Structures are given as C-alpha cells and as structure tokens.
Amino acid sequence: MKVRYRNDLYGNYMMIEIPENTDTNLYPFKMLMKNKISGVLSCQKRMEDGKGYLYVDIEGKRNLQQEYQEKEWQLEDMITFFQEMTCILEEVRSYLLHENMVIMDPEFIFRDLENNNLYVLILPWFSEEKKLHKLAEFFLEKINHRDENGVNAAYLFYRQQSQAHFSLYQFMAILEKESILKRQKIGNIEQIQTKETNAYEEKSSMSKIPSYLQQVEEEQFTEKKIGKEIKKVFLLLAVLFFSISFLPMLSVRLKLSGIALAILFLIAFMISFGGIKTQTPTEEMQEIEIDMKETVFFHSDENEECLKLQWKERGRKKQFVLKDFPCTVGKLKEEASLIMADASVSRIHCRFIQKDNKICIMDLNSTNGTFLNGLPIKNGEIQEIEKNDEILIGKVTVSVV
C-alpha cells in the first residue's frame, strides 16, 4: 500500500494510491464516498498525474503509534479500545461493508484529539482475514509490563488472533472467561482499599499529637496539685513550730530550736513558690513536630542550562523553557503544553521530546507544516535541535536560545 501525507490550506490528508484496474463504481466505493460512517475516516477519490488516489481526512487526529510513542498501554486502554472497535465494526456492518476492509494497523487507526473518539481506515479494494498480527505486536511492545493483567491480556490476544475464524467480537468474552477482567476489578478494589487504609493510618498518626498533649497536661496538673499540698505542709509546720516555741514550760534551748525549725519550714514554703521545674507542653510539642516532619530535599536546577524558545506573538516577545518532556505545541489547551494562538498553528502541531539526552522535534500531521532551519520535517520524523536553530511552526518563527 503506497501512502503519502499532504498538508495544504484545506486540511491534512493521507494520499493512498488506488491500485490499477480497481472498479471505483462498485458498491463499497459508493457507500464510502457518499456516507459519513461513524468511526470511519472520511475520504474522497481524486485524480493526479493520471493516477487515482483516495484522500483520507486526518485533520486533528493522530494514529496509535504517535499517541503511544511516549506512554504505555494499560489493560483499561485495551478494554476501551476493543469496546470502541466493536461498536465501529457493527456500524460498518450496518452499511453492508465487510469488516475485512478495515485496516487493523496501528499506523492507520486514529484518535480524534478533540473528542477522543476512535477512527479506522476502510479501503474498498482491501480484503484480508489474517491482518491482526501488527496490532497484536503493537500491544506486546507498548503494554505496561508492570501491569500483570495487561501483559496477560496482550499475550492472550497475540495467541488468539493467529487462530482461524478469530474475531474482535470474541475477545472481550475470552478476557472474561480467563478471569482477567475479574482480577483487574479485584486489583482496582484492593488499590482503593490500600489508599483508604493509608489515609486512615495517616489520620490516626496525626491524632496522636493531641492525645500526647492531653497526657502531658494531665501529668502537669498532678504535679501542680502535689506541689500545692507540699506548700501547705511547709506552712503548717512553720506555724506549728513557731507556736510551740512560745510555750512557757520549754527551756530556752528548745524554744530557740523551735523558732529555728519554724524559720526553716517558712523558707522551704517560700522556695516552693518556684514550683517543680518541668518541661512545658510547648517544648514537648516542638520535639514531636520535629520528629514527625518529613525530610524534604530541594533540587535546584539553576545551574542546569535548558534550551529556550523565543518568538513574537501580537507584537510581544515570548519565551518558553524546554525542560518538561514530551512538550506538545498547538492551539488545543487540553493537549498542548505550549499554546500558540496563531491561525497557522494546528490544534496539535508538533512535539518536543528528549531522546538520548538530546532535545528533538517532530511534526504531528500539522496543516501548515514544521520547518527546521528552512527544511520541512516530515510527519513522524524526529530532528535534533540545538542553540541558534530556527524553527517555523506554521507561520510563527521560533528561535532556539
């Protein structure tokens, strides 16, 4: 299959050459040209240089290979994909088109960047039953290998697709039969329970602070109560010995001893006003807070030299630091990290990625193209950028500094 990509003022297209001697008046061609089928890429037949081409509209869409270039498949992604694909195939059948005409290649399965809907390519002259191996290999390559259920599902699909009369309709039932979906649900429930348990333990650990404070306050209250009783004893003893020293039947020596003891207990009473030195709750709380605080390491990237993008927008100079990757450029706020409002910039125009510790740029099927130092970047092509490079994003000139 010969495929070219074209960007012009009218949109972004895949140009697929129609094989010679193909009768374009047959029913599948007419149904595809005259109807807008849900989940199927719209296309038109055109002639160029004496050859027939199918112009397939891919404006605002990217294929699965591009979508998962920097991320991995999860089992949830696979389940959603098969559910969407099943609905699309049922829609195709309702127009009396055979599902063997659907191209099951990740390069030709697209997702709309605005509404996230799945779209497939139908070629009316195409008919091949064993055509799922590229999709199966794609799942094996891109699946998150830490997701045990996802890996099992990917290998299961790889084995099943090679068997005779296998259909995508059957796969969800196979996943259910193999208990993969059930295990995934149980895993999700366990994750939720773990999060709730961690949150409860964190809340419980935090509640220990006021309970400890309450304990300290109770101990202090007891100490104060004991201190008051001791003061009363000292005062009573001082009064008692002072009173005894004035009894007439006592000798002078005993009277002087009584006065001396009374003075000693009076001094002890006065000293006891200073109280028993204890650690205050505030000091103990400070120690608790210090122990409970998490150690935080701050990383400063002031010394790291990052490439910056500079351009003018509505007469104002703008700058963007390239440090978080992947960085997507476009007008669609939900998808773009760097938003450019110029009319020549596509909703999803290009992307900056980091590869082998080098910063690179790639075009994402943009309408007006992406140019590096005056040379066009082909769709999906990766080009390294350096300081003093000049990038043309649509009609916006961007300098790399």
Side-chain angles (χ1 to χ4, degrees):
M1 183 169 58
K2 297 180 181 179
V3 181
R4 290 190 295 165
Y5 293 90
R6 169 169 290 184
N7 300 322
D8 56 30
L9 296 174
Y10 301 101
N12 191 7
Y13 300 94
M14 276 194 307
M15 294 173 56
I16 302 175
E17 185 175 336
I18 300 174
E20 293 183 5
N21 303 322
T22 299
D23 188 357
T24 57
N25 292 316
L26 293 177
Y27 173 81
F29 261 101
K30 291 182 178 180
M31 290 299 292
L32 193 60
M33 300 298 124
K34 294 182 179 181
N35 295 286
K36 189 174 182 180
I37 305 173
S38 178
V40 177
L41 294 168
S42 60
C43 56
Q44 292 296 327
K45 184 183 68 173
R46 296 184 187 178
M47 296 296 294
E48 283 190 14
D49 301 327
K51 293 182 179 180
Y53 289 91
L54 203 63
Y55 268 63
V56 184
D57 185 9
I58 55 173
E59 175 68 21
K61 300 176 179 64
R62 62 181 173 190
N63 62 38
L64 292 184
Q65 286 184 341
Q66 293 171 334
E67 183 179 1
Y68 286 92
Q69 187 169 11
E70 300 294 333
K71 64 178 182 178
E72 297 176 318
W73 276 86
Q74 309 291 338
L75 178 58
E76 288 82 358
D77 297 329
M78 290 184 64
I79 293 171
T80 302
F81 172 82
F82 284 114
Q83 289 173 340
E84 289 180 294
M85 188 62 73
T86 300
C87 293
I88 292 173
L89 293 179
E90 288 178 354
E91 185 74 8
V92 169
R93 282 185 172 184
S94 69
Y95 282 85
L96 303 180
L97 296 172
H98 202 283
E99 64 180 50
N100 285 345
M101 296 178 181
V102 179
I103 308 299
M104 291 295 181
D105 188 325
E107 184 182 351
F108 303 107
I109 300 174
F110 289 78
R111 192 170 292 280
D112 193 292
L113 297 172
E114 190 169 355
N115 55 33
N116 210 37
N117 290 336
L118 198 69
Y119 286 86
V120 299
L121 171 66
I122 287 184
L123 298 182
W125 63 86
F126 186 83
S127 181
E128 183 181 345
E129 293 186 2
K130 300 298 180 182
K131 56 180 180 176
L132 294 171
H133 62 280
K134 287 187 178 180
L135 191 60
E137 290 173 354
F138 177 74
F139 286 147
L140 286 177
E141 179 186 355
K142 295 296 182 179
I143 193 68
N144 179 3
H145 291 276
R146 296 179 298 276
D147 182 358
E148 182 180 352
N149 293 324
V151 171
N152 291 336
Y155 276 101
L156 184 62
F157 180 72
Y158 185 82
R159 292 195 303 270
Q160 293 291 330
Q161 59 84 27
S162 61
Q163 303 200 8
H165 308 298
F166 173 77
S167 172
L168 286 176
Y169 293 99
Q170 306 167 357
F171 191 63
M172 291 299 293
I174 294 173
L175 285 178
E176 192 71 46
K177 184 179 178 181
E178 295 292 328
S179 300
I180 291 177
L181 295 182
K182 184 178 179 181
R183 289 199 298 270
Q184 182 70 7
K185 290 176 183 177
I186 294 172
N188 291 339
I189 293 171
E190 289 176 349
Q191 286 180 0
I192 293 171
Q193 290 176 341
T194 302
K195 289 180 181 178
E196 290 177 349
T197 303
N198 293 338
Y200 175 78
E201 290 176 351
E202 184 179 354
K203 185 177 179 181
S204 300
S205 65
M206 292 301 293
S207 66
K208 292 179 182 177
I209 296 177
S211 63
Y212 183 82
L213 179 59
Q214 185 179 359
Q215 181 184 352
V216 172
E217 288 177 347
E218 289 175 355
E219 290 176 356
Q220 279 198 323
F221 176 76
T222 304
E223 289 176 356
K224 287 180 181 179
K225 189 174 181 180
I226 294 172
K228 286 181 181 179
E229 297 297 328
I230 292 173
K231 290 175 187 178
K232 289 180 182 179
V233 172
F234 285 155
L235 182 59
L236 288 173
L237 288 173
V239 172
L240 178 63
F241 280 105
F242 193 73
S243 301
I244 291 174
S245 63
F246 286 97
L247 293 175
M249 71 284 296
L250 296 177
S251 64
V252 175
R253 182 179 293 178
L254 290 175
K255 288 182 179 180
L256 291 174
S257 298
I259 293 172
L261 288 171
I263 292 171
L264 286 174
F265 283 116
L266 186 61
I267 292 171
F269 171 75
M270 297 300 293
I271 291 174
S272 65
F273 269 108
I276 300 171
K277 181 64 178 175
T278 58
Q279 193 175 23
T280 64
T282 306
E283 291 171 345
E284 296 203 14
M285 278 298 296
Q286 288 174 349
E287 290 182 3
I288 294 169
E289 289 175 357
I290 291 171
D291 291 339
M292 292 191 64
K293 282 181 180 177
E294 182 182 1
T295 305
V296 180
F297 296 94
F298 293 95
H299 173 67
S300 175
D301 56 358
E302 292 179 357
N303 296 324
E304 293 183 5
E305 188 175 0
C306 299
L307 293 181
K308 302 179 184 68
L309 305 178
Q310 284 186 352
W311 73 99
K312 284 187 178 180
E313 190 172 296
R314 296 176 183 175
R316 293 185 178 181
K317 189 175 182 181
K318 290 202 170 187
Q319 189 177 84
F320 185 87
V321 181
L322 290 171
K323 60 178 181 179
D324 296 324
F325 301 96
C327 172
T328 304
V329 182
K331 289 189 294 191
L332 192 62
K333 293 181 180 179
E334 293 78 5
E335 291 285 339
S337 307
L338 172 54
I339 298 171
M340 290 186 173
D342 193 272
S344 64
V345 178
S346 299
R347 288 178 293 179
I348 298 295
H349 195 104
C350 62
R351 176 177 293 149
F352 292 93
I353 62 173
Q354 200 166 29
K355 186 177 181 181
D356 299 329
N357 294 325
K358 296 177 181 178
I359 299 177
C360 304
I361 185 173
M362 60 183 296
D363 185 75
L364 298 176
N365 289 333
S366 61
T367 301
N368 296 309
T370 306
F371 297 80
L372 177 60
N373 298 324
L375 298 176
I377 300 175
K378 297 179 181 179
N379 175 38
E381 182 184 4
I382 298 175
Q383 290 285 349
E384 181 186 350
I385 65 169
E386 298 176 342
K387 270 191 175 182
N388 303 319
D389 281 347
E390 185 176 274
I391 304 171
L392 191 63
I393 300 176
K395 295 182 180 179
V396 180
T397 302
V398 179
S399 301
V400 182
V401 297

